[in-house]
Amino acid sequence: MTNPGVPGGETRTIDLPCGETVGVTEFDLGMREFECPCGDAHAVVMDVHPPERFLPDFLVEILRETVETTSEEMPEFDTPHLLGVVLEEFPDRVATADLSEDGDVGYALLWVTGFDARRLHEIVVELVVELMEHAVSHAEDDATIQEFERQMVDFDVSAFVDQYRAERDLEADDVYRSA
């Protein structure tokens, strides 16, 4: 697709989970949610967004210390790994674009989901808890396993997301919306 007013200029597009096609220049670095022409709000994540957008600092540190990555380009656990887990679980609800060759956008990887920003936040937390449960299940200490399971019974993902978003003031970031 050509860019109006720019002879021969091409606009990269992304096919969203809802079926809409949107130019990638519609997504800026501060955007967390996109008001789509389809009428839905879609969560927007870029590789430059820190994983602390979804998880507390201490947990990101633990994940970085314990999760072994296999990528030379991304040797440390980061946002692309979180979105990779979401993509694996919901392949038809996440659109991706590799824009590493496009110097005009300011980011290399873009994910736009079929979920709004808050629901994506819940999904990320749920999937990280599942990863933690799997890791703890391999522990050789039964007391550790039982303690973790006891704490998870009381853990309310929705309440955690509400509190975390309020503390991090993520709703203020959501004002960066586009139609």
Side-chain angles (χ1 to χ4, degrees):
M1 172 183 278
T2 46
N3 220 354
V6 181
E10 287 195 28
T11 300
R12 299 268 319 258
T13 59
I14 184 170
D15 295 326
L16 303 181
C18 65
E20 294 284 339
T21 300
V22 179
V24 297
T25 57
E26 294 291 318
F27 305 98
D28 63 65
L29 293 174
M31 187 177 284
R32 300 293 185 263
E33 198 164 69
F34 176 72
E35 291 294 334
C36 185
C38 77
D40 289 339
H42 302 296
V44 175
V45 182
M46 297 162 190
D47 60 318
V48 296
H49 294 165
E52 289 85 357
R53 170 180 170 182
F54 302 104
L55 305 168
D57 298 346
F58 80 89
L59 185 52
V60 171
E61 286 179 38
I62 290 170
L63 290 168
R64 286 185 171 148
E65 290 173 7
T66 57
V67 174
E68 293 181 26
T69 65
T70 57
S71 170
E72 289 182 18
E73 293 98 31
M74 291 179 268
E76 182 175 76
F77 184 87
D78 213 340
T79 300
H81 299 97
L82 285 176
L83 269 290
V85 174
V86 175
L87 181 60
E88 186 176 306
E89 191 72 23
F90 301 98
D92 59 334
R93 302 292 310 267
V94 181
T96 62
D98 180 349
L99 301 163
S100 55
E101 301 295 320
D102 188 339
D104 293 334
V105 293
Y107 50 88
L109 297 171
L110 169 68
W111 298 270
V112 182
T113 74
F115 313 106
D116 65 17
R118 187 184 187 296
R119 179 64 187 132
L120 175 63
H121 196 157
E122 287 179 340
I123 288 168
V124 167
V125 172
E126 290 167 356
L127 293 173
V128 168
V129 167
E130 284 181 25
L131 289 171
M132 292 167 56
E133 285 175 337
H134 178 74
V136 168
S137 73
H138 292 290
E140 295 179 14
D141 182 356
D142 287 339
T144 300
I145 294 170
Q146 291 171 357
E147 176 61 20
F148 182 82
E149 289 173 353
R150 185 191 64 72
Q151 289 182 11
M152 287 302 100
V153 167
D154 297 331
F155 184 68
D156 181 336
V157 171
S158 184
F160 168 82
V161 168
D162 285 343
Q163 180 180 350
Y164 191 74
R165 291 174 75 83
E167 288 175 12
R168 300 287 295 201
D169 196 24
L170 293 178
E171 297 303 325
D173 289 337
D174 289 342
V175 298
Y176 297 104
R177 296 177 184 229
S178 180

